[in-house]
Amino acid sequence: MAKKGKGRGRRSRFQVVRVNTNLALLTLADTIVLSADITAITQSAYMISADLTWAVRGLTAGEGPIEVGLASADLTDVEIAEALDASPVNESDIIARERTRRPVRHVGVFAGVLTEETLNDGKKIRSKVKMAMGEGTDLEMYARNESGANLTTGAVIEVAGKVYLNWR
């Protein structure tokens, strides 16, 4: 009986995708979400997890907090904000329950105390993604201003690392 070679079976569709992108926040208004693609895949895939470093540069000290995370590119910035705000109060709250099931994953919050900050002291953060992406749909990063006022400078969120996926 011949042995199966390496790369066959369950893990043969596994892929590691390197990412390195940024998102300019400009004068982002309070409670508004901005997003940008971090992957550029052309085939359907199931996103498993991501090991990413997160940094903010050029922020005016004291302008924070800024929440960051991952979302499906199928969602608009408004739909991402709705998912973040959703808080069902009972089982009959159908709309809020639907919003909580949207493919949005919170990663962390920049305090905004300094002009340059990193999450987790610059170490990679493993985030469970668990999202199915259709053909032509990408994984996005998002940033949300929670400071109570508009940002005044051109701060930039930088993300780098790896995304783990299975081709479908």
Side-chain angles (χ1 to χ4, degrees):
M1 180 184 277
K3 289 186 177 180
K4 288 186 178 181
K6 282 193 171 189
R8 296 181 191 244
R10 291 181 344 145
R11 300 193 61 108
S12 66
R13 303 186 67 78
F14 179 77
Q15 184 69 50
V16 178
V17 177
R18 294 187 184 276
V19 298
N20 187 357
T21 192
N22 58 53
L23 173 63
L25 300 182
L26 306 172
T27 57
L28 184 61
D30 184 42
T31 71
I32 300 298
V33 171
L34 281 180
S35 60
D37 289 348
I38 64 169
T39 60
I41 59 172
T42 58
Q43 182 179 334
S44 298
Y46 181 77
M47 304 289 177
I48 302 165
S49 64
D51 287 341
L52 303 171
T53 57
W54 295 78
V56 63
R57 310 254 185 264
L59 187 65
T60 301
E63 287 189 349
I66 297 174
E67 179 181 358
V68 294
L70 302 169
S72 170
D74 276 343
L75 298 176
T76 66
D77 293 343
V78 172
E79 290 170 330
I80 294 170
E82 288 173 348
L84 295 172
D85 291 337
S87 182
V89 293
N90 61 45
E91 199 172 353
S92 300
D93 195 350
I94 297 168
I95 294 171
R97 289 179 59 210
E98 179 275 324
R99 289 175 178 166
T100 62
R101 289 189 297 270
R102 290 180 183 170
V104 176
R105 308 293 184 260
H106 170 84
V107 173
V109 176
F110 291 105
V113 176
L114 305 172
T115 59
E116 295 187 6
E117 294 181 8
T118 59
L119 294 181
N120 198 30
D121 293 327
K123 298 176 199 153
K124 290 185 174 154
I125 298 173
R126 165 121 342 141
S127 303
K128 291 181 183 179
V129 180
K130 297 183 179 182
M131 292 182 205
M133 301 290 178
E135 190 172 319
T137 303
D138 292 318
L139 184 64
E140 289 185 328
M141 61 178 279
Y142 73 83
R144 179 181 183 171
N145 179 5
E146 296 181 338
S147 67
N150 294 358
L151 300 182
T152 58
T153 60
V156 176
I157 304 285
E158 298 172 347
V159 175
K162 299 175 184 175
V163 175
Y164 305 98
L165 59 89
N166 280 324
W167 298 115
R168 299 177 89 198

